[in-house]
Amino acid sequence: MTTKLSAANLDAITSAAVPHYRRADLTPGIVHFGVGNFHRAHQAVYLDALFNLGEGRDWALIGAGVRETDEAMRQKLMGQDLLTTVVEQEADSSSAHVTGVMIDYLEPGDSAAIIAKLADPAIRIVSLTITEGGYYIDPASQKFDPKHPDIAYDAKHFDAPKTAFGLILAGLVARKNAGLQPFTVMSCDNIPGNGHVTENAVAGLAALIDPALAAWVKSSVAFPNGMVDRITPATSDREKKLLADNFGIDDAWPVFCENFKQWVLEDNFPAGRPALEKVGVQFVSDVAPYEHMKIRILNGGHATIAYPAGLMDIHFVHEAMENPLVAAFLKKVETEEIIPVVPPVPDTNLNDYLALCEKRFANPKIGDTIRRLCLDGSNRQPKFIIPSALDRVNANSLLTGLALVSALWCRYCYGATDSGAVIEPNDPNWDRLTAQSKKAKENPAAWLEMSDIYGELARAPTFIAAFTKSLNSLWTQGTKATLEAYLADRL
């Protein structure tokens, strides 16, 4: 017997914590673009904790989106009064709680309604979780690409933009014309300098419309940098069934995640902000050391284990960590090549941080999949792996492991595992990647011809040599034997 998640049924739910606040008392303060699992397991959870303390209830969320898939999420959440069940799981425990911090979800594609809401004086923060690939960044230069067709469209159709950045800019212009203070724009994505990246996107679009507008954005709008962290897998029928069986709740789109969460934010909110420091958010003057650590060690670690595990037909992340070769590969690459090029972080031991990451990766309850980690390598590799490899090149240091990580990605993009199982498309640029991987089977340098991804690293002789040797080994010896050779310092 399950209870359908809804506002009317909250009192009937006894297996999970429910909001201690009356949702009728909430008023909006934040519009959030990209209402996915990570947002609902992270930002929404912090706000829920704050509201449960009896504070900040004028900072409720309004959802927004620009993709067709956003409408599916909207329909699911609207059907249960915008409530979400968050299930936190560790190896020996599980707990669930219902969050109710979202009070409206604007229809994707209704640009007029979204811009009107952004112009509402009550909205003081606009936040984003639109994934690493959603910022229109050129992979090689890691700079905003003003020539992207989506951006070009918004510049020509500024009265009805289609991208999050077009809508944000239109909302800012509406406030400017009305004499209202700009809202703060807060990225919650895993991108180095995510505040700067977001500013470059909004100002870059503005520059295509009016250089003076771009100058106003840069001088008047705040874009705080932030580091966010919580492992949050995709929701499938598996998670829905676990929720129903273990907690008796029927939720159309629950969120499963680990207990651990972290949020480090630059305290730059001229229009005000919720008192999130009361629920564990760290406000600092410089986020860069924290995000550098997280992106290089944790996200880089995910990329390190993803492709060997995928090629060896391993399904879950915790199963990859149970494989001695994969776990040892992660440890060796991190300790010998990644951590040595990560700058110091205040009050943090980087080896202890790695140990925490390894423990989190090994959590058997999360159900995170290798396929999710392999997703979108064309956007993730330039952020998580290639910068560490370039640092190693510039320091004239060993980079055998990082070159092998890149070769494993190339081999994965061929579209078949070592056993011959088909790898379904798993990247927005899959056709291109597969074509290059097939060329690279005979000529490894062909993979590095993707200069928009590899940049100057593709011209580094030490990287080219190490990559070539690794890819040749993967094709002639297979993943298992190649990992064994690397771990024995024979690669």
Side-chain angles (χ1 to χ4, degrees), residues 173-249:
V173 169
R175 294 172 79 103
K176 180 175 181 288
N177 292 340
L180 297 172
Q181 182 179 19
F183 46 70
T184 296
V185 184
M186 179 179 69
S187 170
C188 299
D189 279 300
N190 286 314
I191 298 176
N194 57 9
H196 300 312
V197 170
T198 308
E199 179 181 15
N200 289 340
V202 177
L205 172 58
L208 298 176
I209 300 167
D210 180 358
L213 178 59
W216 176 81
V217 168
K218 286 185 171 290
S219 65
S220 303
V221 183
F223 297 86
N225 292 297
M227 183 268 264
V228 297
D229 190 8
R230 190 171 218 183
I231 295 175
T232 310
T235 298
S236 67
D237 289 341
R238 171 185 179 272
E239 283 71 35
K240 296 173 188 175
K241 186 175 187 303
L242 283 171
L243 179 64
D245 291 347
N246 296 332
F247 296 95
I249 300 173

Side-chain angles (χ1 to χ4, degrees), residues 47-68:
L47 287 170
D48 181 71
L50 185 66
F51 296 173
N52 277 328
L53 291 180
E55 300 199 27
R57 295 180 182 177
D58 58 339
W59 288 101
L61 287 161
I62 293 178
V66 297
R67 304 176 304 167
E68 290 182 6

Side-chain angles (χ1 to χ4, degrees), residues 376-418:
D376 203 13
S378 61
N379 276 302
R380 294 180 175 184
Q381 289 276 316
K383 298 175 180 67
F384 303 157
I385 294 296
I386 291 173
S388 291
L390 188 57
D391 283 350
R392 302 291 295 179
V393 167
N394 292 335
N396 295 314
S397 299
L398 178 77
L399 46 57
T400 307
L402 288 166
L404 176 53
V405 172
S406 205
L408 285 159
W409 175 45
C410 172
R411 170 65 186 84
Y412 177 89
C413 291
Y414 189 83
T417 70
D418 283 3

